[in-house]
Amino acid sequence: MVKSWYLLFWKFKGGPDWIVEQELAEKALKSWRNNMIKEHEQYQDELKDINQMEVMPAPAPAPPPLGPMIREICINSGAAFTRLRCHLTNDVCYNLGVHPVTPVIHICEDETRFSDLLKGIPDYLDQFVQEEYYKPMAASCGVVQENIFEFNEDSNQKYLHSFVDVFRCCSVQVPKYLYLKYLEEGLLDQSHTIGQPHDLKDLEFFFEK
């Protein structure tokens, strides 16, 4: 019976809930980070060995630490990103000032960026346990519906218009503090490569008090 129950849900990767199990979720995220760093170090060692070979082998796919951050979150890597899927992942990245395709290792190896992620996930999800969210959602339940499990277009529209920041949006109004963060990270500079140092000398006037 236990095995059958496991097989029923094995595709749905779960993990500690960021709202009701935040301490465990933080532990999972830190464990995920450590694993990414270790895997990256192993990859670097393998590259050194390959570079010493006389005949170069065919290039292998980039390991997860060099992959995009959005993929790790969407697949709930390490069971560290429970509750987050496509649109929430995009919105989390937007609010943290992280480009969705930022290499994972760029976040994991930087204390400040990882701390922002560790704090940013629960801060973002907190809106979904506030009265401003659940009251309008609850008020829509069962409105002109014989089947309470039927897709509720009223709730859907309220959600899309009030609680989706950037997912599938053509344009958004970016708060000043977030815009300045994008500038600081070089995300608005087409010549900038994510993960490389960004020269701020031409942007000093933006940061003047």
Side-chain angles (χ1 to χ4, degrees), residues 100-148:
V101 298
T102 297
V104 171
I105 197 63
H106 182 57
I107 303 293
C108 293
E109 287 187 333
D110 188 285
E111 288 294 338
T112 300
R113 291 188 176 91
F114 181 76
S115 294
D116 288 346
L117 178 66
L118 188 65
K119 182 177 183 299
I121 292 176
D123 284 354
Y124 169 76
L125 291 175
D126 183 66
Q127 66 179 310
F128 299 116
V129 294
Q130 300 302 319
E131 190 173 294
E132 291 79 7
Y133 172 76
Y134 64 74
K135 267 203 169 182
M137 295 300 108
S140 296
C141 293
V143 176
V144 196
Q145 283 186 232
E146 293 183 4
N147 182 356
I148 61 173

Side-chain angles (χ1 to χ4, degrees), residues 9 14 16 39-40 50 53 60 68-69 73 80 87-88 94 115 117 148-149 155 158 167-168 178 184 189 195 203:
F9 289 98
E39 190 169 346
H40 184 64
I50 291 174
M53 295 181 180
M69 190 66 199
I73 300 177
H87 78 270
L88 292 185
Y94 160 73
S115 294
L117 178 66
I148 61 173
F149 296 106
S155 292
K158 288 180 179 178
F167 184 63
R168 292 182 177 173
L178 194 53
E184 188 176 2
D189 183 352
L203 304 173

Side-chain angles (χ1 to χ4, degrees), residues 78-104:
F81 303 99
T82 302
R83 278 186 180 261
L84 300 173
R85 286 297 183 266
C86 289
H87 78 270
L88 292 185
T89 297
N90 279 273
D91 285 357
V92 165
C93 288
Y94 160 73
N95 282 284
L96 291 177
V98 173
H99 195 287
V101 298
T102 297
V104 171

Side-chain angles (χ1 to χ4, degrees), residues 15-31:
D17 188 283
W18 274 97
I19 292 178
V20 298
E21 300 173 302
Q22 184 174 336
E23 188 174 335
L24 292 175
E26 290 178 352
K27 185 177 180 181
L29 187 64
K30 291 175 182 177
S31 177

Side-chain angles (χ1 to χ4, degrees), residues 151-196:
F151 182 79
N152 191 317
E153 187 59 42
D154 186 54
S155 292
N156 183 53
Q157 289 303 316
K158 288 180 179 178
Y159 176 73
L160 292 176
H161 290 139
S162 302
F163 298 98
V164 173
D165 296 324
V166 295
F167 184 63
R168 292 182 177 173
C169 294
C170 296
S171 62
V172 296
Q173 288 189 326
V174 182
K176 180 180 178 180
Y177 78 91
L178 194 53
Y179 181 77
L180 293 178
K181 185 169 185 177
Y182 289 150
L183 284 176
E184 188 176 2
E185 291 292 329
L187 297 180
L188 303 180
D189 183 352
Q190 293 183 355
S191 64
H192 174 63
T193 301
I194 294 176
Q196 299 299 317

